[in-house]
Amino acid sequence: MRSALFMGFLGLLLMISSGKLLADPAFNAVYKMPADIEWADSLCPWKSATETGYLRLVRSRDDNRHRLLVQWIRKSMNEQPDEAVSTRIIDELDQLYTVRIQPPQVQLHPDHCELTMAAEDVDSERRYQLQLRLKGPGEYRLMVIEKLPGDL
């Protein structure tokens, strides 16, 4: 086991020293990603009358709290890279709630994608359930349910 890990580490060092990894555009893009982005995940498909794509949810850290951003990514029909057609910060979380957020549970519906997340206020430790309904590019609705003490 140790020898396999050691060999893998040596292989990575060889790739870096030979420039193969550094020349990879994906590595360069991730390397330049801001340190305050904690995770990003492609979650659900979306469709409009003329386009199709998928949703990307990004959680970033700002001081002691999390922020959520949603991107609607259009799938390219040819060899071009996919493209973000809309990016929205979830304003309600930015302005009304100072929370830490767990990764979402995803449920796909015929007309929208629903993300359900647990959140906790950074000051009061009050707990919330967040439901984020995402539709076409730029369209979302956030519902916040305050959990009473003792709720699971």
Side-chain angles (χ1 to χ4, degrees):
M1 175 71 171
R2 284 186 181 176
S3 63
L5 287 173
F6 182 69
M7 293 305 289
F9 180 69
L10 281 178
L12 181 62
L13 284 177
L14 284 172
M15 287 176 66
I16 290 173
S17 65
S18 68
K20 281 186 178 180
L21 190 58
L22 296 177
D24 185 342
F27 177 79
N28 288 332
V30 170
Y31 188 75
K32 293 177 185 175
M33 187 169 46
D36 62 339
I37 293 180
E38 293 191 330
W39 55 254
D41 199 0
S42 300
L43 299 172
C44 301
W46 64 266
K47 187 187 325 185
S48 72
T50 58
E51 300 174 314
T52 62
Y54 55 93
L55 294 164
R56 178 186 300 153
L57 185 68
V58 178
R59 183 179 80 183
S60 66
R61 180 176 291 278
D62 183 16
D63 291 328
N64 199 21
R65 69 182 186 153
H66 292 140
R67 298 177 74 195
L68 286 181
L69 296 92
V70 178
Q71 287 188 307
W72 284 260
I73 309 293
R74 179 179 55 217
K75 284 192 169 225
S76 176
M77 298 303 273
N78 51 28
E79 297 299 317
Q80 299 298 317
D82 294 351
E83 177 183 19
V85 295
S86 181
T87 301
R88 296 283 308 265
I89 294 173
I90 305 303
D91 293 322
E92 296 86 347
L93 291 178
D94 242 25
Q95 298 165 5
L96 302 174
Y97 299 95
T98 306
V99 293
R100 289 183 290 271
I101 304 164
Q102 295 294 314
Q105 294 181 2
V106 179
Q107 188 172 13
L108 189 57
H109 296 271
D111 64 338
H112 69 278
C113 177
E114 185 171 291
L115 309 179
T116 303
M117 298 159 275
E120 181 179 69
D121 188 283
V122 297
D123 297 319
S124 68
E125 296 183 358
R126 187 172 292 141
R127 294 178 185 235
Y128 302 95
Q129 178 179 323
L130 308 177
Q131 289 180 332
L132 184 59
R133 289 189 180 166
L134 303 162
K135 289 191 172 196
E139 292 182 65
Y140 76 88
R141 181 173 162 202
L142 177 68
M143 291 162 283
V144 179
I145 301 166
E146 185 174 346
K147 297 292 200 171
L148 297 174
D151 283 353
L152 296 176

